[in-house]
Amino acid sequence: MTTADSHNGRRLTARGAKTRARIVAAATDLMYVQGVGATTLDEVLAASGVSKSQLYHHFDGKDALVRAVIDHVGERVIEREREALGRVSTIRGLRRWRDALVQNNAVRHGAYGCALGSLASEVSDQDALARQALSQLFTEWQGLLAAVLRRLQDGGALPPEASIDQLATGLMAALQGGYMLAQTARDVTPMATSIDMALAYIESLSER
């Protein structure tokens, strides 16, 4: 059994794919807690239990590994959000979505923030390829929110003239800003408040 290798274009054996996945998983955990800048390749080696030659077989260096982490984190986040938002078609459903995100973040008292947002704040100005990948992921996430809002509009909960794209941008900004405020305060209250304000505005449009 083989799978594609994004590093050198060769095919990986099942064992090689597992080794690569182990490296990425270890780097993901370290970078989420410590940050990208504070995480060294030596720490990734120790956490993953692979050799230096194995790491460099799959990645040219830290930048390539960070991009793989972005892909890995992005896949997890988008899968989670697709599952959470895929059938939402009411404001009540959006509030349940908000509750789940806030409650999950409260477990850590807001520490570490949004996995994608934290990566974006560290690497966007340093690596153009990483920034582009993050931008695409945020666009996809925002598209899931826009799809919910279109379902609200189709069901009559939002007026026809409401700009779905602008509302989705505002809701995403409230979410990401809320994550950051919760992270610095070590308290999820600002996150809950910012999303609540955005949802309250969206709901108010149906009352005009």
Side-chain angles (χ1 to χ4, degrees), residues 166-207:
Q166 289 182 1
L167 291 174
T169 299
L171 184 52
M172 176 59 79
L175 172 60
Q176 291 302 318
Y179 266 122
M180 182 173 292
L181 291 174
Q183 183 178 6
T184 55
R186 288 296 190 268
D187 180 2
V188 295
T189 302
M191 177 184 181
T193 300
S194 65
I195 302 173
D196 283 344
M197 293 292 288
L199 293 179
Y201 176 73
I202 291 170
E203 190 170 22
S204 74
L205 296 178
S206 65
E207 302 168 355

Side-chain angles (χ1 to χ4, degrees), residues 4-7 12 17 19-29 31 36 41 44 55 58-77 115-116 119 123 127 129-131 133-134 137:
D5 184 1
S6 61
H7 167 41
L12 289 177
T19 298
R20 185 182 188 278
R22 193 160 70 247
I23 295 168
V24 173
T28 297
D29 291 342
M31 290 177 186
V36 173
L41 291 181
V44 175
L55 187 148
H58 295 286
F59 303 101
D60 289 330
K62 186 174 178 180
D63 286 348
L65 178 56
V66 170
R67 292 169 197 155
V69 167
I70 290 170
D71 289 342
H72 179 62
V73 171
E75 183 178 352
R76 290 193 314 191
V77 170
L116 279 182
L119 287 168
V123 307
D127 185 335
L129 290 176
R131 182 193 61 76
L134 285 160
L137 288 165

Side-chain angles (χ1 to χ4, degrees), residues 77-207:
V77 170
I78 295 301
E79 182 180 353
R80 179 197 73 200
E81 293 301 288
R82 187 177 290 118
E83 182 176 342
L85 293 167
R87 296 183 180 180
V88 174
S89 59
T90 63
I91 288 289
R92 180 176 296 179
L94 276 175
R95 293 196 183 281
R96 286 195 295 268
W97 164 79
R98 167 266 193 211
D99 291 345
L101 288 177
V102 171
Q103 288 168 10
N104 184 63
N105 205 26
V107 173
R108 301 179 301 273
H109 302 288
Y112 313 131
C114 170
L116 279 182
S118 295
L119 287 168
S121 68
E122 285 205 68
V123 307
S124 291
D125 291 333
Q126 311 300 325
D127 185 335
L129 290 176
R131 182 193 61 76
Q132 291 168 8
L134 285 160
S135 178
Q136 290 172 358
L137 288 165
F138 279 116
T139 296
E140 187 172 356
W141 192 349
Q142 188 170 311
L144 295 173
L145 292 172
V148 173
L149 296 172
R150 287 192 184 91
R151 288 194 288 273
L152 265 68
Q153 193 173 54
D154 291 343
L158 287 175
E161 66 273 14
S163 173
I164 297 303
D165 289 340
Q166 289 182 1
L167 291 174
T169 299
L171 184 52
M172 176 59 79
L175 172 60
Q176 291 302 318
Y179 266 122
M180 182 173 292
L181 291 174
Q183 183 178 6
T184 55
R186 288 296 190 268
D187 180 2
V188 295
T189 302
M191 177 184 181
T193 300
S194 65
I195 302 173
D196 283 344
M197 293 292 288
L199 293 179
Y201 176 73
I202 291 170
E203 190 170 22
S204 74
L205 296 178
S206 65
E207 302 168 355

